[in-house]
Amino acid sequence: MSTPTEEPAWKQRAVERSTQAAKRRAEQRVERFLDAAQAIMAEKGTTDFTVQEVVDRSKQSLRSFYQHFDGKHELLLALFEDAMSKSAEQLRVLATEQSDPLDRLRVVVQELFESSRPDPATQQQPLFTDFALRLLMSHPAEMRVANAPLLALFTQLIQDLEDANLLRPGFKAKRVAALTMQTVMFNAQSSGQDAAHPLTAEEIWDYCAHGITGND
Amino acid sequence: MSTPTEEPAWKQRAVERSTQAAKRRAEQRVERFLDAAQAIMAEKGTTDFTVQEVVDRSKQSLRSFYQHFDGKHELLLALFEDAMSKSAEQLRVLATEQSDPLDRLRVVVQELFESSRPDPATQQQPLFTDFALRLLMSHPAEMRVANAPLLALFTQLIQDLEDANLLRPGFKAKRVAALTMQTVMFNAQSSGQDAAHPLTAEEIWDYCAHGITGND
DNA sequence: CGAATCAGAGAATGACATTCTCACCAAGGA
DNA sequence: TCCTTGGTGAGAATGTCATTCTCTGATTCG
């Protein structure tokens, strides 16, 4: 049972070094798959690429792909988490430019709405839409993880509102945050698909902020 | 070019009769496919059945399936439209039981929320969730058609609100209707998937009715 | 009866994801 | 230097579906 406690330090370091080298190599390969996938999505505008396409594009092999990813799903998830996290970052920055707590939330809601609607201009939109919905149904837990950064931002912004006594009495910041985030993203999605009801960012903000009746 | 204008009436009737008979038969077959699919979904709780399963269950043939449906997609769509339409009916009935316009909307919102969340008890829930999202992405036009009955109900209810001066000034009933419907259904979906934030029907109603701030 | 249409059985096809086989090669240890 | 080993490339094999195709028997109608 007793493990050899006399592992020479140099050996440990050597193992460590080669382990780190291997890790670095692996990360590079993963990166190449990720980049290839992103490029393909940008070109085709959907998440409907084949694993083979990614493999070819990245000039690696199927063998290697499945060595690094559990499957196509993992690849999508990685890209999605990344995109969500980056998006949360951007929005957070945007928020800091506003001093009024209500304005902070407003700009974030409106910008999230704009960036969540399908737009042929920007690249990585499909992730925010196409894949997000599939993920919601198939892997809610992973969806929660991917949403976490954005949810944290919303929670904080609404907490600020609460501190400023601007949150409707009886509401819990965290729950309103989740509700608002989902509402904005989903409605951006479904309205964007539809040329007839192109909701505006202002409309959705008015709705979220004041509700249907606009009073108690 | 001149078609025989002297088609004997009896012949026309005969053709008509056989056409109608054929139509009746076709409808029966379609029904059997539909029923089989519904039964399978109820059993398995998802829309992830194979066409083969439906065919076997309905004791018909693949040949026949593709004769009557353009593909699996058409089958799903048929079931979805049907479910949405039935649901809109039920909700409409529920609404008539309330005399106050705001209560009418409230009960509809709350019931739609409850019936849209994934619940192992009732049968045809998966359609309201699983498939709806796929449809939204892949065939927005058909989605719009399927949503029409429910949207009409919401529009009417909110129009009533407007007439009673209970709609926030500046809001258009039709747009608020779409926004509210989607918000309720989507949030039911995403909250239901998540054991941690089980939103309540009351919460979502408060949110939709009064918004985040609850005032102007 | 004979031609046309319908429907069942199930094989064939085509797209994919995923797995498996084989051959190579580079780095580390003996 | 030789051997072992882990990671790779190439690409064939498998498995699951949807969708199409072929063959064949039945039903209908003149």
Side-chain angles (χ1 to χ4, degrees):
Chain A
M1 291 304 170
S2 66
T3 53
T5 52
E6 291 310 312
E7 282 290 350
W10 66 264
K11 191 162 188 176
Q12 287 185 25
R13 280 198 305 275
V15 169
E16 172 96 346
R17 209 178 322 124
S18 78
T19 295
Q20 288 188 341
K23 192 175 291 180
R24 203 163 24 249
R25 249 174 299 137
E27 275 168 13
Q28 280 205 330
R29 288 181 174 278
V30 166
E31 266 310 310
R32 282 165 63 193
F33 284 125
L34 256 29
D35 289 349
Q38 198 125 42
I40 293 171
M41 280 195 298
E43 277 173 25
K44 309 214 308 183
T46 79
T47 56
D48 282 343
F49 54 81
T50 71
V51 172
Q52 190 64 58
E53 283 177 299
V54 174
V55 165
D56 292 346
R57 179 79 161 237
S58 72
K59 297 198 182 305
Q60 296 178 93
S61 66
L62 267 180
R63 179 80 176 64
S64 207
F65 179 87
Y66 284 101
Q67 178 116 33
H68 297 293
F69 292 93
D70 228 354
K72 185 181 182 179
H73 178 260
E74 294 292 327
L75 172 66
L76 265 332
L77 187 59
L79 291 169
F80 182 63
E81 279 189 28
D82 196 55
M84 286 297 275
S85 157
K86 281 205 177 73
S87 172
E89 277 316 303
Q90 290 177 223
L91 291 173
R92 191 179 289 276
V93 169
L94 206 61
T96 62
E97 293 168 5
Q98 303 292 325
S99 54
D100 180 56
L102 201 54
D103 280 338
R104 273 205 292 278
L105 183 58
R106 182 177 53 74
V107 296
V108 167
V109 162
Q110 293 185 346
E111 177 56 24
L112 175 60
F113 178 81
E114 291 297 355
S115 70
S116 294
R117 69 192 327 172
D119 184 64
T122 346
Q123 338 83 342
Q124 54 190 144
Q125 246 47 60
L127 283 176
F128 273 45
T129 58
D130 186 359
F131 180 58
L133 296 180
R134 290 192 239 165
L135 189 60
L136 174 61
M137 295 306 303
S138 60
H139 304 266
E142 291 161 340
M143 182 60 166
R144 232 171 359 260
V145 170
N147 274 337
L150 196 49
L151 184 57
L153 173 60
F154 270 84
T155 303
Q156 185 191 309
L157 293 177
I158 294 184
Q159 205 109 63
D160 290 351
L161 240 47
E162 191 170 27
D163 295 346
N165 260 73
L166 289 171
L167 182 64
R168 180 178 164 75
F171 274 178
K172 287 277 295 111
K174 210 162 171 190
R175 300 172 84 80
V176 172
L179 206 35
T180 303
M181 186 182 85
Q182 308 267 273
T183 296
V184 171
M185 292 199 306
F186 283 141
N187 276 294
Q189 186 41 217
S190 61
S191 125
Q193 294 281 263
D194 178 356
H197 309 214
L199 282 181
T200 67
E202 199 180 346
E203 271 177 310
I204 188 122
W205 164 248
D206 268 16
Y207 186 84
C208 287
H210 308 115
I212 297 169
T213 64
N215 57 50
D216 301 324
Chain B
M1 291 303 174
S2 64
T3 53
T5 52
E6 293 308 311
E7 283 289 352
W10 66 264
K11 193 162 186 175
Q12 287 185 26
R13 280 200 305 276
V15 168
E16 172 95 348
R17 208 179 324 122
S18 78
T19 295
Q20 287 188 342
K23 193 175 293 182
R24 207 165 19 253
R25 248 174 301 139
E27 275 169 12
Q28 281 202 331
R29 288 178 175 280
V30 166
E31 267 309 311
R32 282 165 62 193
F33 284 125
L34 257 28
D35 290 349
Q38 198 124 44
I40 292 172
M41 280 194 298
E43 278 174 24
K44 309 214 308 182
T46 79
T47 56
D48 282 343
F49 54 81
T50 71
V51 172
Q52 191 63 58
E53 283 177 300
V54 175
V55 166
D56 291 347
R57 179 79 162 238
S58 72
K59 297 200 182 307
Q60 295 179 93
S61 66
L62 267 179
R63 178 80 173 61
S64 209
F65 179 86
Y66 284 100
Q67 179 119 29
H68 297 292
F69 293 93
D70 226 356
K72 184 182 182 178
H73 178 260
E74 293 293 326
L75 172 66
L76 266 330
L77 188 60
L79 291 169
F80 181 63
E81 279 188 26
D82 195 58
M84 286 298 274
S85 158
K86 280 205 178 72
S87 173
E89 277 315 303
Q90 290 178 222
L91 291 173
R92 191 179 290 277
V93 168
L94 207 61
T96 61
E97 293 170 5
Q98 304 292 324
S99 54
D100 180 55
L102 201 53
D103 279 338
R104 273 205 291 279
L105 183 58
R106 183 177 52 75
V107 296
V108 167
V109 163
Q110 293 186 345
E111 177 56 23
L112 175 62
F113 178 81
E114 291 297 355
S115 69
S116 294
R117 69 192 326 171
D119 184 64
T122 347
Q123 338 81 340
Q124 53 190 145
Q125 246 46 61
L127 283 176
F128 273 44
T129 59
D130 186 359
F131 180 59
L133 296 181
R134 289 192 239 166
L135 190 60
L136 173 61
M137 295 306 303
S138 59
H139 304 266
E142 292 161 338
M143 181 62 165
R144 232 168 4 257
V145 170
N147 273 338
L150 196 49
L151 184 56
L153 173 60
F154 269 86
T155 302
Q156 185 191 309
L157 292 177
I158 293 184
Q159 204 110 65
D160 290 351
L161 241 48
E162 192 170 26
D163 294 346
N165 260 75
L166 289 171
L167 182 64
R168 178 177 166 75
F171 275 176
K172 287 278 296 114
K174 210 162 169 187
R175 300 172 83 79
V176 173
L179 206 37
T180 303
M181 187 182 85
Q182 307 266 271
T183 297
V184 171
M185 292 198 306
F186 283 140
N187 277 293
Q189 186 39 221
S190 61
S191 124
Q193 294 280 266
D194 178 355
H197 310 214
L199 281 182
T200 67
E202 199 180 346
E203 271 178 310
I204 189 116
W205 165 246
D206 267 16
Y207 186 83
C208 288
H210 307 114
I212 296 169
T213 63
N215 56 51
D216 300 325

